[in-house]
Amino acid sequence: MQLTCNFLPQNDGRCGWYEMLPPPPPASPLRGEAKADWIVLGAGLAGLAAARRLAELQPNAAIALVDARRVGYGAAGRNSGFMIDLPHNLSSHDYTGDRSEDLQQIRLNRGAIDYMRDIVQRHAIDCDWREQGKLHGAVEAHGERALEAFAKGLTALGEPYRLLDAREMQAVTGTGFYRAGLHAPGCVQVQPAALVRGLGKTLPENVRLYEDTPVREILVGKPHVLITDQGRLTAPRLILANNAYAAQFGGLGLKGRILPVYTYGSLTRQLSPEEIAALGGEESWGLIPADPMGTTVRRLSNGRICIRNSFTYNPDVSTSANQLARVRAAHWRSFERRFPMLAGVELEYTWGGALCLSRNGGTPFGELTPGVFSAVCQNGLGLTRGTISGKLIAEYALGVESELLNIMLNQPKPVANPPEPLLGLGIRSTLAWKEWKAGNER
């Protein structure tokens, strides 16, 4: 079976998380012929976890980890840096859903955090790891209702939280923009690009990392062959961890079942001491909107503020300069409403990154065809779901059983999407409607 890779990662704006880091050492792209026992395609959270776990379980195996760009440059380094432990259903009005499914999601998320915490501490990865929880902030009446529903859902799940009034929200954030809030203690906040790059630097010795190595074709067979710009890589077993880019692989049952939906972030320049004093509040916090279509905000300890909102359906897995300009203007409006005391602060970086979603929240986890395994489609929980998907797909492929693996295997599979152009029209109109309904939450 021959699979052609039509879409490859593009330069989707200047990602502030990546740009703030020192330049990486030179890449080691694949050149010529190479063989391995395992190939992991995609060096995001899922791919890094899969390669690491394979190496832990099979220390004598040769594992090749392949990415079209540099580690940390792609979607894994472009998110808002929340390792969320609680349910986070973006299609819900308050993030929660079925109680049994929510409890299973919590188990998976916390399994990911525990695994990642151990790696970060053991290797002293400098990624601004902060176990400070997350805020949910409401701006309008419908946001307050969503916040109340979320609180009721957490109560039913037996999860701790603390409600905050407008005065308490201002004491934390420095702004009087929010009418109410909720603090949930279990979330970990990180610098995502620094985390991902640190994971790449600390891989076990039997993992060979090939960066700047775009894969043009995959020949599925015995063995599998990946054809790149400068070489060929052969292995009997292949793990797909390339998320939205996996949607093009029709022969593996993924095409027409997963969706590349972009979201966008901007990062301000560093605030001056006078601006920090004018803002007030705590030096570091992260806020998720009560309405999932609203604006996520993080204040960083280095004196910058991150704004994330806007969703677009991009089936070619790329964005454009015009789209980035429109998003940047939307981010500035959101920033200005929240922080009028910082009118002179510019947005230094704006970027986009692809979420990999399915319409029913399902995931194609497992063996797609003999010797080809899938750890793609994280449904908006890239840091935690990507980590646990990668770890568990390695264990599944090697026959290691666990309760968490059983939970993952029992997740629903993605349903088929309608054909284009109906699919695009439906998604774009739904996103526009939900963003309009979000109002000032955005």
Side-chain angles (χ1 to χ4, degrees):
M1 184 192 310
Q2 181 176 355
L3 307 176
T4 301
C5 303
N6 297 312
F7 303 128
L8 293 168
Q10 304 299 311
N11 184 13
D12 294 322
R14 295 180 65 212
C15 176
W17 302 118
Y18 192 86
E19 297 279 348
M20 287 192 297
L21 298 175
S28 297
L30 173 68
R31 292 188 175 93
E33 299 275 345
K35 294 183 178 181
D37 298 304
W38 293 87
I39 299 172
V40 180
L41 179 57
L45 271 301
L48 288 161
R52 183 180 297 271
R53 190 62 177 144
L54 287 172
E56 291 170 346
L57 295 172
Q58 288 195 329
N60 295 321
I63 298 151
L65 177 59
V66 184
D67 200 277
R69 304 297 293 261
R70 301 304 304 271
V71 170
Y73 186 85
R78 290 172 175 259
N79 57 74
S80 297
F82 292 82
M83 293 199 75
I84 295 173
D85 64 324
L86 297 173
H88 194 71
N89 182 357
L90 293 179
S91 65
S92 166
H93 78 288
D94 64 356
Y95 299 102
T96 59
D98 176 82
R99 182 176 183 275
S100 176
E101 293 176 1
D102 285 347
L103 288 170
Q104 291 185 344
Q105 185 65 66
I106 290 170
R107 294 286 305 279
L108 291 172
N109 293 346
R110 288 180 177 161
I113 291 172
D114 291 343
Y115 185 60
M116 188 64 74
R117 181 189 295 109
D118 178 69
I119 296 169
V120 168
Q121 292 179 351
R122 184 156 31 95
H123 295 284
I125 295 175
D126 184 7
C127 61
D128 199 23
W129 180 278
R130 290 176 179 263
E131 302 205 16
Q132 61 188 41
K134 62 184 168 76
L135 295 169
H136 285 240
V139 182
E140 296 185 334
H142 80 273
E144 288 188 282
R145 290 192 294 270
L147 205 64
E148 292 168 1
F150 183 55
K152 288 180 180 177
L154 294 181
T155 298
L157 293 168
E159 289 295 327
Y161 62 89
R162 181 169 65 93
L163 294 174
L164 296 88
D165 61 22
R167 179 184 57 80
E168 292 169 313
M169 287 292 289
Q170 185 166 5
V172 175
T173 64
T175 173
F177 187 71
Y178 296 98
R179 292 167 51 161
L182 178 151
H183 178 263
C187 176
V188 177
Q189 295 179 41
V190 299
Q191 207 282 39
L195 172 65
V196 177
R197 190 185 286 184
L199 294 172
K201 287 181 180 178
T202 59
L203 287 166
E205 291 184 0
N206 56 325
V207 178
R208 179 70 184 272
L209 174 61
Y210 297 105
E211 297 176 282
D212 284 343
T213 301
V215 173
R216 303 294 179 177
E217 289 183 55
I218 301 176
L219 305 178
V220 176
K222 297 182 179 181
H224 312 301
V225 180
L226 275 60
I227 300 174
T228 73
D229 287 343
Q230 302 180 69
R232 292 164 61 97
L233 182 59
T234 303
R237 288 160 295 187
L238 167 65
I239 291 178
L240 298 178
N242 54 341
N243 263 339
Y245 300 96
Q248 61 195 294
F249 298 146
L252 298 176
L254 299 176
K255 192 172 184 178
R257 293 182 181 273
I258 54 181
L259 303 168
V261 174
Y262 264 59
T263 188
Y264 301 84
S266 286
L267 199 62
T268 69
R269 64 162 170 79
Q270 196 165 12
L271 304 184
S272 69
E274 294 77 17
E275 288 164 340
I276 290 173
L279 173 58
E282 298 179 1
E283 75 161 11
S284 173
W285 48 267
L287 182 146
I288 288 175
D291 185 316
M293 300 302 288
T295 296
T296 296
V297 186
R298 278 190 67 186
R299 179 178 170 183
L300 310 180
S301 61
N302 65 5
R304 295 177 185 262
I305 294 175
C306 179
I307 295 285
R308 187 216 59 80
N309 66 35
S310 303
F311 293 86
T312 59
Y313 172 57
N314 297 13
D316 59 352
V317 203
S318 67
T319 189
S320 67
N322 287 339
Q323 204 163 50
L324 285 169
R326 289 194 297 270
V327 166
R328 185 182 182 85
H331 286 178
W332 173 247
R333 290 192 295 270
S334 297
F335 179 85
E336 193 175 32
R337 287 197 298 268
R338 286 159 176 78
F339 305 107
M341 74 292 288
L342 301 177
V345 176
E346 304 87 11
L347 299 177
E348 186 171 356
Y349 304 103
T350 297
W351 65 90
L355 299 172
C356 185
L357 309 174
S358 66
R359 290 194 304 123
N360 65 333
T363 176
F365 180 90
E367 190 169 15
L368 303 178
T369 195
V372 179
F373 302 87
S374 165
V376 306
C377 196
Q378 318 309 342
N379 285 296
L381 276 169
L383 281 172
T384 47
R385 190 62 176 263
T387 297
I388 201 65
S389 295
K391 177 179 183 289
L392 292 177
I393 200 64
E395 294 175 0
Y396 172 73
L398 292 173
V400 178
E401 298 181 354
S402 69
E403 188 175 353
L404 288 182
L405 178 57
N406 290 336
I407 292 174
M408 185 65 82
L409 291 170
N410 287 329
Q411 301 289 300
K413 300 300 182 185
V415 296
N417 298 323
E420 296 286 5
L422 294 178
L423 177 64
L425 289 171
I427 294 175
R428 292 186 178 103
S429 61
T430 298
L431 290 174
W433 169 246
K434 287 188 173 184
E435 287 187 338
W436 179 82
K437 283 184 66 179
N440 284 330
E441 303 286 340
R442 190 165 178 258

